[in-house]
Short mmCIF file of all heavy atoms in Angstrom, two decimals:
data_model
loop_
_atom_site.label_atom_id
_atom_site.label_comp_id
_atom_site.label_asym_id
_atom_site.label_seq_id
_atom_site.Cartn_x
_atom_site.Cartn_y
_atom_site.Cartn_z
N MET A 821 0.83 -1.20 0.00
CA MET A 821 0.00 0.00 0.01
C MET A 821 0.88 1.27 -0.01
O MET A 821 0.64 2.19 -0.78
CB MET A 821 -0.90 0.00 1.23
CG MET A 821 -1.89 1.16 1.29
SD MET A 821 -2.85 1.22 2.81
CE MET A 821 -3.73 -0.33 2.71
N TYR A 822 1.89 1.28 0.89
CA TYR A 822 2.74 2.47 0.96
C TYR A 822 3.61 2.59 -0.29
O TYR A 822 3.90 3.71 -0.73
CB TYR A 822 3.61 2.39 2.22
CG TYR A 822 4.42 3.63 2.45
CD1 TYR A 822 3.81 4.84 2.74
CD2 TYR A 822 5.83 3.59 2.36
CE1 TYR A 822 4.55 6.00 2.96
CE2 TYR A 822 6.56 4.74 2.60
CZ TYR A 822 5.93 5.93 2.88
OH TYR A 822 6.67 7.08 3.09
N ASP A 823 4.02 1.47 -0.86
CA ASP A 823 4.81 1.52 -2.11
C ASP A 823 4.01 2.15 -3.25
O ASP A 823 4.56 2.90 -4.04
CB ASP A 823 5.26 0.09 -2.51
CG ASP A 823 6.28 -0.48 -1.55
OD1 ASP A 823 6.93 0.31 -0.85
OD2 ASP A 823 6.38 -1.72 -1.46
N SER A 824 2.72 1.85 -3.30
CA SER A 824 1.87 2.47 -4.32
C SER A 824 1.75 3.97 -4.09
O SER A 824 1.78 4.77 -5.04
CB SER A 824 0.48 1.82 -4.29
OG SER A 824 0.54 0.44 -4.55
N PHE A 825 1.64 4.37 -2.83
CA PHE A 825 1.58 5.78 -2.48
C PHE A 825 2.85 6.50 -2.94
O PHE A 825 2.80 7.57 -3.52
CB PHE A 825 1.36 5.93 -0.95
CG PHE A 825 1.47 7.35 -0.46
CD1 PHE A 825 0.41 8.23 -0.60
CD2 PHE A 825 2.63 7.78 0.16
CE1 PHE A 825 0.51 9.53 -0.14
CE2 PHE A 825 2.74 9.08 0.63
CZ PHE A 825 1.68 9.96 0.49
N LEU A 826 4.03 5.87 -2.64
CA LEU A 826 5.30 6.48 -3.03
C LEU A 826 5.40 6.57 -4.56
O LEU A 826 5.91 7.57 -5.10
CB LEU A 826 6.45 5.66 -2.49
CG LEU A 826 6.76 5.79 -0.99
CD1 LEU A 826 7.93 4.92 -0.63
CD2 LEU A 826 7.05 7.24 -0.61
N ARG A 827 4.96 5.53 -5.24
CA ARG A 827 5.07 5.52 -6.70
C ARG A 827 4.23 6.66 -7.31
O ARG A 827 4.68 7.34 -8.24
CB ARG A 827 4.60 4.16 -7.22
CG ARG A 827 4.81 3.97 -8.71
CD ARG A 827 4.72 2.50 -9.12
NE ARG A 827 3.50 1.87 -8.63
CZ ARG A 827 3.44 0.98 -7.64
NH1 ARG A 827 4.58 0.65 -7.00
NH2 ARG A 827 2.31 0.45 -7.25
N ILE A 828 3.04 6.88 -6.79
CA ILE A 828 2.19 7.97 -7.29
C ILE A 828 2.84 9.32 -6.98
O ILE A 828 2.85 10.22 -7.84
CB ILE A 828 0.79 7.86 -6.66
CG1 ILE A 828 0.08 6.60 -7.14
CG2 ILE A 828 -0.03 9.09 -7.00
CD1 ILE A 828 -1.23 6.32 -6.43
N CYS A 829 3.37 9.48 -5.76
CA CYS A 829 4.00 10.75 -5.37
C CYS A 829 5.20 11.08 -6.26
O CYS A 829 5.37 12.21 -6.70
CB CYS A 829 4.40 10.72 -3.91
SG CYS A 829 3.00 10.78 -2.75
N HIS A 830 6.04 10.07 -6.50
CA HIS A 830 7.24 10.30 -7.32
C HIS A 830 6.84 10.62 -8.75
O HIS A 830 7.49 11.47 -9.41
CB HIS A 830 8.11 9.03 -7.30
CG HIS A 830 8.80 8.83 -6.01
ND1 HIS A 830 9.19 7.60 -5.55
CD2 HIS A 830 9.18 9.72 -5.05
CE1 HIS A 830 9.78 7.71 -4.39
NE2 HIS A 830 9.77 8.99 -4.04
N ASP A 831 5.78 10.00 -9.23
CA ASP A 831 5.30 10.30 -10.59
C ASP A 831 4.79 11.73 -10.69
O ASP A 831 5.07 12.46 -11.66
CB ASP A 831 4.21 9.31 -10.97
CG ASP A 831 3.65 9.57 -12.37
OD1 ASP A 831 4.45 9.47 -13.33
OD2 ASP A 831 2.44 9.89 -12.50
N LEU A 832 4.06 12.19 -9.65
CA LEU A 832 3.56 13.56 -9.62
C LEU A 832 4.68 14.56 -9.53
O LEU A 832 4.66 15.63 -10.18
CB LEU A 832 2.62 13.74 -8.45
CG LEU A 832 1.29 13.00 -8.52
CD1 LEU A 832 0.51 13.15 -7.22
CD2 LEU A 832 0.45 13.48 -9.68
N ILE A 833 5.72 14.25 -8.72
CA ILE A 833 6.89 15.16 -8.60
C ILE A 833 7.61 15.26 -9.95
O ILE A 833 8.01 16.36 -10.38
CB ILE A 833 7.84 14.66 -7.50
CG1 ILE A 833 7.20 14.80 -6.13
CG2 ILE A 833 9.16 15.40 -7.53
CD1 ILE A 833 7.98 14.22 -5.01
N GLU A 834 7.76 14.12 -10.63
CA GLU A 834 8.45 14.10 -11.91
C GLU A 834 7.71 14.89 -12.97
O GLU A 834 8.31 15.58 -13.80
CB GLU A 834 8.63 12.64 -12.35
CG GLU A 834 9.38 12.46 -13.65
CD GLU A 834 10.85 12.83 -13.52
OE1 GLU A 834 11.37 12.76 -12.38
OE2 GLU A 834 11.47 13.15 -14.55
N ARG A 835 6.39 14.86 -12.92
CA ARG A 835 5.56 15.47 -13.97
C ARG A 835 5.24 16.95 -13.72
O ARG A 835 5.15 17.73 -14.66
CB ARG A 835 4.27 14.67 -14.15
CG ARG A 835 4.49 13.28 -14.71
CD ARG A 835 3.19 12.45 -14.63
NE ARG A 835 2.08 13.08 -15.32
CZ ARG A 835 0.83 12.64 -15.26
NH1 ARG A 835 0.53 11.56 -14.50
NH2 ARG A 835 -0.14 13.27 -15.90
N PHE A 836 5.06 17.30 -12.45
CA PHE A 836 4.47 18.63 -12.19
C PHE A 836 5.35 19.54 -11.33
O PHE A 836 5.09 20.74 -11.29
CB PHE A 836 3.11 18.47 -11.50
CG PHE A 836 2.12 17.73 -12.32
CD1 PHE A 836 1.72 16.43 -11.95
CD2 PHE A 836 1.55 18.29 -13.45
CE1 PHE A 836 0.80 15.75 -12.69
CE2 PHE A 836 0.63 17.58 -14.21
CZ PHE A 836 0.25 16.33 -13.84
N VAL A 837 6.35 19.03 -10.66
CA VAL A 837 7.20 19.88 -9.80
C VAL A 837 8.32 20.45 -10.61
O VAL A 837 9.15 19.69 -11.14
CB VAL A 837 7.71 19.10 -8.57
CG1 VAL A 837 8.64 19.98 -7.76
CG2 VAL A 837 6.57 18.60 -7.72
N PRO A 990 15.22 8.78 2.94
CA PRO A 990 15.47 7.50 2.27
C PRO A 990 14.58 7.24 1.07
O PRO A 990 14.94 6.51 0.16
CB PRO A 990 15.25 6.47 3.40
CG PRO A 990 15.46 7.22 4.65
CD PRO A 990 14.97 8.61 4.38
N GLU A 991 13.37 7.82 1.08
CA GLU A 991 12.41 7.57 0.00
C GLU A 991 12.31 8.72 -0.99
O GLU A 991 11.45 8.73 -1.86
CB GLU A 991 11.02 7.32 0.60
CG GLU A 991 10.54 8.45 1.47
CD GLU A 991 9.79 7.98 2.69
OE1 GLU A 991 9.57 6.77 2.86
OE2 GLU A 991 9.41 8.84 3.49
N ASN A 992 13.21 9.72 -0.86
CA ASN A 992 13.24 10.88 -1.76
C ASN A 992 11.90 11.58 -1.83
O ASN A 992 11.41 11.94 -2.93
CB ASN A 992 13.68 10.44 -3.16
CG ASN A 992 15.12 9.96 -3.18
OD1 ASN A 992 15.97 10.54 -2.54
ND2 ASN A 992 15.38 8.89 -3.93
N LEU A 993 11.28 11.80 -0.68
CA LEU A 993 10.02 12.52 -0.59
C LEU A 993 10.20 13.69 0.33
O LEU A 993 10.11 13.57 1.55
CB LEU A 993 8.92 11.58 -0.07
CG LEU A 993 7.49 11.90 -0.45
CD1 LEU A 993 7.31 11.85 -1.97
CD2 LEU A 993 6.53 10.91 0.19
N PRO A 994 10.52 14.89 -0.21
CA PRO A 994 10.86 16.02 0.63
C PRO A 994 9.64 16.56 1.43
O PRO A 994 8.50 16.39 1.03
CB PRO A 994 11.33 17.07 -0.36
CG PRO A 994 10.71 16.71 -1.65
CD PRO A 994 10.59 15.22 -1.64
N PHE A 997 7.04 18.93 -0.30
CA PHE A 997 5.99 18.29 -1.10
C PHE A 997 4.83 17.84 -0.23
O PHE A 997 3.66 18.01 -0.57
CB PHE A 997 6.57 17.12 -1.87
CG PHE A 997 5.54 16.33 -2.65
CD1 PHE A 997 5.11 16.80 -3.89
CD2 PHE A 997 5.03 15.14 -2.16
CE1 PHE A 997 4.15 16.08 -4.60
CE2 PHE A 997 4.07 14.44 -2.87
CZ PHE A 997 3.63 14.92 -4.09
N LEU A 998 5.13 17.25 0.94
CA LEU A 998 4.09 16.81 1.85
C LEU A 998 3.31 17.99 2.37
O LEU A 998 2.06 17.92 2.56
CB LEU A 998 4.71 16.06 3.04
CG LEU A 998 5.53 14.79 2.66
CD1 LEU A 998 6.17 14.22 3.92
CD2 LEU A 998 4.65 13.76 2.00
N ILE A 1005 -3.23 14.34 0.45
CA ILE A 1005 -2.64 13.11 0.94
C ILE A 1005 -3.05 12.75 2.36
O ILE A 1005 -2.65 11.70 2.88
CB ILE A 1005 -1.11 13.13 0.83
CG1 ILE A 1005 -0.54 14.18 1.83
CG2 ILE A 1005 -0.65 13.40 -0.56
CD1 ILE A 1005 0.97 14.22 1.86
N PRO A 1008 -5.24 9.31 2.32
CA PRO A 1008 -4.40 8.12 2.06
C PRO A 1008 -3.46 7.79 3.21
O PRO A 1008 -3.30 6.64 3.56
CB PRO A 1008 -3.67 8.48 0.76
CG PRO A 1008 -4.50 9.49 0.11
CD PRO A 1008 -5.14 10.29 1.19
N LEU A 1009 -2.83 8.82 3.77
CA LEU A 1009 -1.88 8.56 4.86
C LEU A 1009 -2.60 8.09 6.13
O LEU A 1009 -2.06 7.26 6.85
CB LEU A 1009 -1.07 9.84 5.18
CG LEU A 1009 0.06 10.17 4.20
CD1 LEU A 1009 0.82 11.39 4.66
CD2 LEU A 1009 1.00 9.01 4.02
N ILE A 1012 -3.08 4.45 5.60
CA ILE A 1012 -1.79 3.74 5.71
C ILE A 1012 -1.36 3.63 7.15
O ILE A 1012 -0.91 2.57 7.62
CB ILE A 1012 -0.72 4.46 4.85
CG1 ILE A 1012 -1.04 4.33 3.36
CG2 ILE A 1012 0.67 3.90 5.15
CD1 ILE A 1012 -0.16 5.15 2.46
N PRO A 1023 6.82 0.08 6.76
CA PRO A 1023 7.62 0.13 5.51
C PRO A 1023 9.12 0.16 5.82
O PRO A 1023 9.55 0.77 6.81
CB PRO A 1023 7.13 1.44 4.87
CG PRO A 1023 5.77 1.66 5.41
CD PRO A 1023 5.79 1.13 6.82
N SER A 1025 11.46 1.78 4.41
CA SER A 1025 12.07 3.11 4.36
C SER A 1025 11.91 3.84 5.69
O SER A 1025 12.68 4.73 6.00
CB SER A 1025 11.45 3.92 3.22
OG SER A 1025 10.04 4.07 3.39
N TRP A 1026 10.88 3.49 6.48
CA TRP A 1026 10.71 4.12 7.78
C TRP A 1026 11.76 3.65 8.77
O TRP A 1026 12.01 4.33 9.80
CB TRP A 1026 9.32 3.83 8.34
CG TRP A 1026 8.19 4.45 7.56
CD1 TRP A 1026 8.29 5.09 6.38
CD2 TRP A 1026 6.82 4.46 7.93
NE1 TRP A 1026 7.06 5.52 5.97
CE2 TRP A 1026 6.12 5.14 6.90
CE3 TRP A 1026 6.09 3.95 9.00
CZ2 TRP A 1026 4.74 5.33 6.91
CZ3 TRP A 1026 4.72 4.14 9.02
CH2 TRP A 1026 4.05 4.82 8.00
N VAL A 1055 7.54 10.99 6.30
CA VAL A 1055 6.24 10.35 6.56
C VAL A 1055 6.31 9.50 7.83
O VAL A 1055 5.40 9.53 8.65
CB VAL A 1055 5.81 9.49 5.35
CG1 VAL A 1055 4.44 8.84 5.61
CG2 VAL A 1055 5.74 10.34 4.09
#
Side-chain angles (χ1 to χ4, degrees):
M821 184 185 297
Y822 186 66
D823 291 338
S824 300
F825 172 79
L826 285 180
R827 188 163 52 252
I828 294 172
C829 289
H830 288 153
D831 180 61
L832 293 174
I833 292 174
E834 182 69 24
R835 293 169 57 188
F836 300 109
V837 176
E991 57 217 357
N992 293 321
L993 206 60
F997 176 80
L998 301 176
I1005 66 176
L1009 284 183
I1012 292 172
S1025 59
W1026 294 7
V1055 180

